[in-house]
Amino acid sequence: MIRFGIAGFGLHAVRRLMPGFALARDCRVVALSRRDQDKAREAAANYGIPHVFGSTEELSRCPEVDAVLVTTPNVCHLQDVLVAVAAGKPVLCEKPMGMNADECQQMVRAARAAGVLLGVAQVFRFEESIARFRERVAAGDIGRPIFARSEFSYPGLGHGRAWLYNRSISGGGPIADVGVHCIDALRYILQDEPRKVGALGGSDEHSGDVEAAAALTLEFRRGALATVLVSTRTHYRTPLEIVGEAGAIRADDALNAEHPIKIELWRGGKLAAEDTVSNRLAYARQVDAFAAAVEGRELFAIPGEEGWQNQIILDAAYSSLLSGKSEKVPENSTSEPQL
């Protein structure tokens, strides 16, 4: 039973992480940290968490903590990961992993040097829907992928994480916040990497210094073309579709964890197969998988290098917003020698 400490226990921990831990089999939460000590003690009392700290550093020194889950605002990820790694604690870091690729590189190098596990919490890789998409594409059920689209929108006005509208804390708007999920899902399903990224963005009077909506184009190395649409100005929607030479696979709400998802396989303009799956165990599977890796029973499928690669793509997208042209994604950027 791996004992987690959650650094930065806030809205995400309440809405997603603790319900996931409640369903997990091989791990539990024994500690949390939060700058507001009153809220920290209240959360600990609500969830029966025995250890309460005011900082990630204090939490990481706790001998009762086997692994640290970093869920602080994005600007804090680098320092929190480095502190936990220095204490010898395996770290699962929320997405996006850092503010830029250089920060992710620092995290990966520090974990390698310390010989501790570093993973990134791209939770959708643990969803049944994404697994089915990947299986269908890999089996050739739609033939060679030609194009793909992934969308993620949610109503962000009045959101509890107000820091999302401050670039110095968030690193960006919905491209960074949820676009990273779409990008990672496409990389995983297609088992391919983008070589070029283009971006268009729009803001409004409520979005601060970040985008409120954006459209990305990705050109993958084996030829597939993809679009990613993100916003914080519409209702919650996560449609996903992969179109190939022989058919298409699609779902209207592929990335949600609240209710069953209907996945359709189309061939020749006709519905060829239909499957209904549930993603309710995704968060539990993520922490159980990390616990298994900490215990040495299996490798964690999403190491820090994956978060670093996603951040390289995000950096290219934000460069494209500024340049107005497509930007190249460096090849094999994270496969540097072990330290």
Side-chain angles (χ1 to χ4, degrees), residues 108 112 305 308-309 312 331-338:
V108 169
R112 287 176 180 174
E305 287 82 356
W308 179 6
Q309 185 61 33
I312 288 170
E331 190 171 359
N332 298 324
S333 304
T334 65
S335 57
E336 58 186 23
Q338 297 284 330

Side-chain angles (χ1 to χ4, degrees), residues 98-260:
M99 297 286 280
N100 53 59
D102 287 343
E103 288 193 353
C104 297
Q105 183 182 50
Q106 290 182 58
M107 296 180 216
V108 169
R109 286 181 169 178
R112 287 176 180 174
V116 300
L117 176 65
L118 172 62
V120 62
Q122 292 290 167
V123 68
F124 293 153
R125 292 206 191 188
F126 295 94
E127 291 190 334
E128 283 295 322
S129 58
I130 297 304
R132 297 297 174 87
F133 269 77
R134 179 178 162 101
E135 290 165 5
R136 288 283 194 187
V137 172
D141 289 348
I142 64 169
R144 184 175 68 89
I146 302 299
F147 60 84
R149 65 179 179 95
S150 180
E151 301 180 30
F152 200 136
S153 295
Y154 65 92
L157 292 178
H159 198 279
R161 294 182 297 162
W163 53 265
L164 287 171
Y165 297 109
N166 185 336
R167 185 178 297 275
S168 67
I169 300 175
S170 65
I175 293 175
D177 185 37
V178 291
V180 67
H181 276 313
C182 298
I183 290 167
D184 187 72
L186 292 173
R187 291 179 58 225
Y188 184 65
I189 292 167
L190 296 174
Q191 299 185 56
D192 197 6
E193 297 292 339
R195 62 183 179 186
K196 286 185 180 180
V197 179
L200 294 172
S203 59
D204 59 29
E205 67 273 19
H206 302 293
S207 59
D209 60 354
V210 302
E211 74 281 0
L216 309 183
T217 59
L218 297 93
E219 179 186 337
F220 281 82
R221 299 191 183 279
R222 292 202 295 269
L225 302 176
T227 60
V228 168
L229 303 178
V230 294
S231 82
T232 52
R233 294 296 183 270
T234 77
H235 65 280
Y236 193 96
R237 49 180 281 115
T238 60
L240 177 64
E241 183 175 33
I242 313 292
V243 179
E245 291 178 329
I249 181 171
R250 64 178 302 276
D252 286 333
D253 49 4
L255 304 182
N256 94 88
E258 279 75 30
H259 55 80

